Amino acid sequence: MFAPLVVVGGLIFGFGLGYSHMARPEVVIDFLLFEDLGLLFVMFGGSIVAGLGFWVLPRLRDGAPLTGRPYERRLKSFDRNVLVGGVVFGVGWGLAGICPGAAYASLGVGNWPILYAIAGMFIGAYAQGIWRSQRSTDADAVPSDD
Amino acid sequence: MLEGLAGFFPNGVERYAVGGLLVGLGTLVVYAGTGIAAGASTFLESTLSYVSDASRFQQYRPSRDWRVLFTVSIVLGAAVYAVLFQGGAWTTGVEPWRLFVGGIFVGVGTRIGKGCTSGHGICGVGSASRTSLIGVATFVLVAIVTANVIAALGGGL
């Protein structure tokens, strides 16, 4: 059941990114230039629906049916990395008008040049991973889950 | 007042609101069944564990298979949208160098910053996480500055 559920969730997620036009870098860049603020509705629409799950599900049952995992909110510890990463991510988002989920969806809507962005993302993720693996101080006991 | 607001929404709000609700619903489906708040960017590192033994990637090994499945499903879901509503393929006019260089920054930043627009922006904000709200505020502000600087330098679309 686990795999089919992931597929259904991914299909809806991807369809939503296509429908909301987030798979189009131009639309994100228009938001950042204050020409079309529609992106606000995407983020808040999405977070409200997800938020309902985070608040309602724990009150309905103790854990998830497929894994037994407790229903917990997504809470990451705050440290300097959140700001540093946020700044670096922001530069990339402003340059390319694309984020990871939207990039996968962009491939789905037939936007083949997005492969440049996806290649860049893998190179960036690889570079920081190698660098952080070599630094024992960054043991990072709690990996980020997105 | 309302007319002034409408100027900020030249394409209306229906596509954005409905699309956003669906993005949230996709997240909710996975979370309801598994208790996992799946973001989109962990896929980058978990997939790299197939080709690299670095500890940073290997820590995601347990989830790497389903994350590939999740990402392929995102691609297919968007393809369904393209077939039904877009009348075929659409391609961007944003220059390849912007996509590539921006992609590198996104790849580095999302992993250091513990999340991206879906992890922090959808799941984190939905969890009322202070960390995620600060993360989102940071990358939105920096992205606004970046996009406007590029536009001012003549890198407009």
Side-chain angles (χ1 to χ4, degrees):
Chain A
M1 267 313 288
F2 186 96
L5 190 83
V6 167
V7 169
V8 171
L11 286 171
I12 299 171
F13 191 90
F15 183 92
L17 284 168
Y19 194 91
S20 66
H21 286 57
M22 290 299 106
R24 303 189 177 194
E26 282 88 336
V27 177
V28 175
I29 291 168
D30 278 348
F31 165 77
L32 297 171
L33 299 176
F34 303 119
E35 283 165 16
D36 181 349
L37 300 187
L39 183 145
L40 291 172
F41 280 83
V42 182
M43 197 179 278
F44 284 111
S47 55
I48 286 168
V49 173
L52 278 174
F54 288 115
W55 296 102
V56 173
L57 286 168
R59 288 161 177 77
L60 297 181
R61 36 182 314 150
D62 287 337
L66 298 184
T67 59
R69 278 174 66 135
Y71 285 124
E72 291 170 340
R73 290 154 65 201
R74 182 195 184 274
L75 303 172
K76 299 284 178 192
S77 57
F78 183 78
D79 54 34
R80 209 171 50 107
N81 279 344
V82 176
L83 296 175
V84 174
V87 169
V88 177
F89 177 81
V91 170
W93 202 37
L95 256 180
I98 206 78
C99 56
Y104 316 147
S106 202
L107 199 57
V109 301
N111 183 23
W112 65 265
I114 206 67
L115 289 169
Y116 287 109
I118 293 174
M121 284 176 202
F122 271 112
I123 291 168
Y126 182 74
Q128 70 81 37
I130 295 297
W131 180 67
R132 292 169 94 188
S133 295
Q134 286 167 348
R135 289 171 67 230
S136 51
T137 50
D138 201 328
D140 226 344
V142 188
S144 142
D145 236 348
D146 345 73
Chain B
M1 176 69 194
L2 276 178
E3 280 177 16
L5 272 181
F8 285 109
F9 299 98
N11 298 304
V13 297
E14 182 269 348
R15 65 168 64 155
Y16 300 118
V18 172
L21 293 173
L22 289 169
V23 170
L25 183 63
T27 306
L28 181 57
V29 165
V30 175
Y31 180 75
T34 66
I36 298 168
S41 61
T42 301
F43 163 80
L44 299 169
E45 285 194 288
S46 63
T47 303
L48 285 165
S49 76
Y50 289 105
V51 295
S52 167
D53 289 331
S55 60
R56 178 78 203 168
F57 307 132
Q58 288 300 321
Q59 68 180 339
Y60 296 110
R61 201 186 175 103
S63 69
R64 66 184 186 182
D65 291 343
W66 73 254
R67 289 186 189 278
V68 169
L69 195 61
F70 185 57
T71 298
V72 169
S73 303
I74 291 173
V75 175
L76 290 175
V80 169
Y81 162 79
V83 169
L84 294 181
F85 292 90
Q86 199 174 254
W90 173 91
T91 50
T92 184
V94 176
E95 300 93 330
W97 77 265
R98 279 184 74 168
L99 296 172
F100 183 64
V101 176
I104 293 174
F105 276 90
V106 166
V108 172
T110 180
R111 306 319 304 145
I112 291 178
K114 308 181 190 185
C116 60
T117 10
S118 63
H120 278 320
I122 305 285
C123 298
V125 171
S127 297
S129 157
R130 221 165 36 127
T131 297
S132 290
L133 289 167
I134 295 169
V136 170
T138 305
F139 65 62
V140 169
L141 284 173
V142 172
I144 286 170
V145 172
T146 305
N148 279 279
V149 167
I150 297 280
L153 292 173
L157 299 170

